[in-house]
Amino acid sequence: MNWKDIEEIFKENKIILIPMGSMEQHGSHSINGDFLAATKIAEIISEELELPYLPTLPFGNSSYFLEYPGTISLREETISAVIKDVLNSLLKHNQYKIVFVNGHAGNNSAINTSVRDLRKDYENLNVITVNLWQSLSVDQKNELYSEQHDPSGHGAEPLSSIMRFLYPDYIDDFKDNYKATKKTLNDIKVVNLNDAIHNDINFKVYFDMDDISNSGRYSQSFTPSKERGEKILEVISKNIIEIIKKYYGGN
């Protein structure tokens, strides 16, 4: 595709997809999992809705994983600057409808800051962010994981099953069942790196992964599978496609 082709696409006022990921440890599978999954889901959405998508931004803010070799982390201000430059390049050509297909929670703050700053000068800027790993409803999780509790977690589900389906060569450990429990500290449940619960009250914490995990994985027990990964990928893609259609009222 050359610039003349893109010029014609821009005339159609299309929604533009921007996939984002990270390069960080994920326990026993590829450090590129978030990046690869975001790319694939953007491709599926693009094909279904006939929308253009940019090359995936592969690095994110992953400072809490830096103790694990291979993790590449960008400062939040660096990510914000990149996002603003990318959006400004699109705004230059009157492209205002943007969807971030985000595969890494650590990118959310930078996306939020960048978009809100730009909206001060571009009132027509119309952006949404869909976070891949928060794109399954409770009912969908119950159906997909009917034999177990919610196994969502870092280096666990749903990415482990998705990777087994999409990129089995990038998996180092093919156990059928991973036994794990989440930590408690003084009867406080550590939900993840940023959240803890006491007496059903959620509050914020600021752990690095090596504070709570030796393996780089943090979840309850889970049973990943290629077959489940295919179903999850389909459900997440359909959910995001429906959100885009509803929000923008078509292309």
Side-chain angles (χ1 to χ4, degrees):
M1 183 179 292
N2 59 44
W3 73 267
K4 294 295 288 183
D5 298 324
I6 296 170
E7 183 178 50
E8 292 304 310
I9 290 173
F10 281 0
K11 289 177 182 178
E12 299 177 28
N13 193 29
K14 293 274 192 179
I15 301 160
I16 298 176
L17 308 174
I18 304 179
M20 294 186 67
S22 66
M23 184 173 174
E24 65 188 30
Q25 69 80 24
H26 279 98
S28 60
H29 56 73
S30 172
I31 58 175
N32 293 321
D34 288 342
F35 159 71
L36 293 169
T39 302
K40 183 60 179 180
I41 290 173
E43 290 174 354
I44 293 170
I45 298 167
S46 171
E47 182 175 354
E48 176 69 21
L49 298 180
E50 297 184 352
L51 300 178
Y53 67 96
L54 272 59
T56 304
L57 298 175
F59 303 121
N61 185 345
S62 304
S63 58
Y64 29 78
F65 297 126
L66 280 173
E67 291 301 313
Y68 300 84
T71 296
I72 303 296
S73 180
L74 301 185
R75 291 170 296 166
E76 184 169 326
E77 55 265 36
T78 303
I79 303 169
S80 294
V82 170
I83 291 171
K84 285 182 180 179
D85 285 350
V86 170
L87 291 179
N88 272 316
S89 298
L90 296 171
L91 290 165
K92 172 75 173 176
H93 299 280
N94 301 314
Q95 303 304 300
Y96 298 105
K97 294 187 288 188
I98 311 293
V99 174
F100 285 100
V101 181
N102 184 33
H104 176 55
N107 295 328
N108 281 320
S109 180
I111 295 171
N112 180 67
T113 299
S114 304
V115 173
R116 290 191 180 280
D117 282 352
L118 285 171
R119 277 182 54 82
K120 296 172 185 176
D121 298 317
Y122 297 94
E123 292 182 359
N124 291 336
L125 181 59
N126 191 2
V127 176
I128 66 170
T129 297
V130 286
N131 292 295
L132 303 188
W133 315 131
Q134 287 76 49
S135 294
L136 293 171
S137 70
V138 173
D139 288 343
Q140 288 169 340
K141 282 188 177 182
N142 289 338
E143 182 176 349
L144 289 163
Y145 300 104
S146 57
E147 80 284 13
Q148 58 187 258
H149 50 266
D150 183 355
S152 302
H154 189 78
E157 290 295 287
L159 185 57
S160 288
S161 289
I162 287 177
M163 289 295 289
R164 289 191 181 206
F165 172 62
L166 291 178
Y167 304 105
D169 291 343
Y170 295 173
I171 303 294
D172 297 324
D173 186 352
F174 271 93
K175 290 194 299 185
D176 293 329
N177 195 313
Y178 292 84
K179 297 292 185 182
T181 57
K182 292 190 174 183
K183 286 185 177 296
T184 57
L185 301 172
N186 301 322
D187 295 325
I188 294 171
K189 181 179 179 181
V190 179
V191 179
N192 53 44
L193 296 174
N194 299 309
D195 295 284
I197 295 176
H198 180 58
N199 291 338
D200 293 327
I201 298 172
N202 181 283
F203 62 97
K204 293 298 179 182
V205 291
Y206 304 94
F207 290 117
D208 291 334
M209 182 57 82
D210 61 318
D211 293 327
I212 59 176
S213 173
N214 293 323
S215 66
R217 184 186 303 117
Y218 192 70
S219 72
Q220 301 288 80
S221 298
F222 64 102
T223 55
S225 73
K226 173 182 178 181
E227 293 74 22
R228 179 177 284 134
E230 183 175 12
K231 292 178 183 177
I232 294 170
L233 189 71
E234 179 182 356
V235 172
I236 288 177
S237 299
K238 284 184 176 179
N239 286 348
I240 296 174
I241 287 168
E242 181 179 358
I243 288 169
I244 293 172
K245 286 181 175 179
K246 288 286 187 181
Y247 184 81
Y248 290 104
N251 293 354

